[in-house]
Amino acid sequence: MPEPITQTAYWNGDVGTRWADMQAELDRVFSPLTAALIDGADLRPGERVLDIGCGCGETALLAASRTGPDGAVAAVDVSRPMLARARTRPAAGAAVTWIEADAQTHPFAPEHDIALSRFGVMFFEESRAAFANIRRALRPGGRVAVLCWRSLAENAWVTVPRDAVLTVLPEPAPSPPGGPGPFRFADGDALVDLLRQAGFASAAVARVDRLLEIGADQEEATRFSATVGPIAGLLREVEDPALRERALAALRQAMPAERPVRLGGACWLATAVNPG
Ligand SMILES: C[S@@+](CC[C@H](N)C(=O)[O-])C[C@H]1O[C@@H](n2cnc3c(N)ncnc32)[C@H](O)[C@@H]1O
């Protein structure tokens, strides 16, 4: 069996480059979910914010604008292509420091008022130790607010294209339970337990359900699904170009005909406090 690829290698390869190239589109598609995270984080002027797995920087830049010139944002990620994209984007408000580091182990100063993340905490190899490290980056009373996907079955923006391509492609082997991946925290109770084990108090999850506009029409929605996210991962594995074309045709056909194409996204907004 080949060694599984590390997350650092994964997000520094083709996937990281695609996310960087698709930054504007991804941020547009996820914007209703992002708004729920930023509202739930309840950022105040002057706060020091840590963005975990900041990627191309959308939530760090929004946090900078909310916390203003007296605030500070530290944004950490392992992906060089995504950080490179983030660094090109205009920032307003708080100063943003982009840090290339592993959030699981990086020795952050214990000074942050809040750690937040949009889809950056599901890829840890050691989740409990990683959340404990994030807690140590917070001052006593500091809070955490992270957005994670709920189950695959609840996320139509993934199941609709997935069911379509699986009429042509073989079903992939299930990911090992508890391993890194987008649906790692589908079980909200387990996520709450994990936050408690990492030393957080008042851990809770709230459902966030939003329609995601994944394209102006079927063509755009197909391109989006085939370029980033779980379906792009399935298509990437297909070596036979004819088979890949058939899978893409099935995907295009399954996209709703309404314009724009909207499919449901289902997340947890997990919050907790560092008791100090
Ligand atoms: C699904 S992307 C989300 C990126 C960004 N937050 C967004 O919403 O566009 C997951 C991000 O987590 C980052 N990541 C994964 N493991 C990490 C780790 N151990 N430390 C820091 N970043 C990590 C990846 O490089 C990637 O940028």
Side-chain angles (χ1 to χ4, degrees), residues 3-40:
E3 277 290 296
I5 182 169
T6 66
Q7 289 297 308
T8 300
Y10 180 76
W11 292 102
N12 275 293
D14 176 51
V15 172
T17 308
R18 284 182 194 220
W19 273 71
D21 291 345
M22 294 280 284
Q23 170 264 314
E25 200 162 345
L26 279 159
D27 288 336
R28 184 188 56 70
V29 171
F30 292 153
S31 60
L33 301 169
T34 312
L37 169 64
I38 295 295
D39 288 350

Side-chain angles (χ1 to χ4, degrees), residues 84-153:
R85 174 76 192 178
R87 288 189 176 101
T88 64
R89 301 180 63 188
V96 182
T97 310
W98 305 104
I99 304 168
E100 183 188 332
D102 186 337
Q104 300 177 98
T105 52
H106 187 70
F108 299 107
E111 65 184 19
H112 299 90
D113 298 297
I114 179 160
L116 57 77
S117 182
R118 183 184 78 176
F119 309 137
V121 297
M122 302 95 91
F123 302 95
F124 296 140
E125 277 104 0
E126 295 290 342
S127 294
R128 193 196 312 176
F131 277 116
N133 194 46
I134 292 166
R135 185 181 57 74
R136 286 191 292 274
L138 298 172
R139 63 163 173 81
R143 50 205 203 280
V144 67
V146 297
L147 199 63
C148 310
W149 297 112
R150 299 211 305 275
S151 66
L152 169 67

Side-chain angles (χ1 to χ4, degrees), residues 153-180:
E154 291 169 279
N155 276 285
W157 75 281
V158 184
T159 55
V160 167
R162 186 178 191 275
D163 292 350
V165 299
L166 291 186
T167 60
V168 176
L169 303 179
E171 179 96 29
S175 336

Side-chain angles (χ1 to χ4, degrees), residues 203-262:
V205 286
R207 284 168 191 269
V208 177
D209 290 278
R210 297 287 185 275
L211 278 177
L212 305 182
E213 198 176 303
I214 63 165
D217 53 25
Q218 284 170 309
E219 211 49 53
E220 244 188 43
T222 301
R223 194 175 56 81
F224 178 80
S225 281
T227 310
V228 281
I231 310 313
L234 285 180
L235 290 170
R236 237 187 338 266
E237 319 241 297
V238 183
E239 279 165 19
D240 175 354
L243 187 60
R244 191 169 193 283
E245 259 326 298
R246 280 175 48 216
L248 273 173
L251 174 52
R252 199 171 292 117
Q253 206 168 23
M255 286 298 175
E258 294 87 357
R259 293 165 178 235
V261 178
R262 289 198 188 96

Side-chain angles (χ1 to χ4, degrees), residues 49 82-83 95 103 110 112 172 238 246-247 255 267 273:
V49 181
M82 293 168 78
L83 283 171
H112 299 90
V238 183
R246 280 175 48 216
M255 286 298 175
C267 295
V273 174

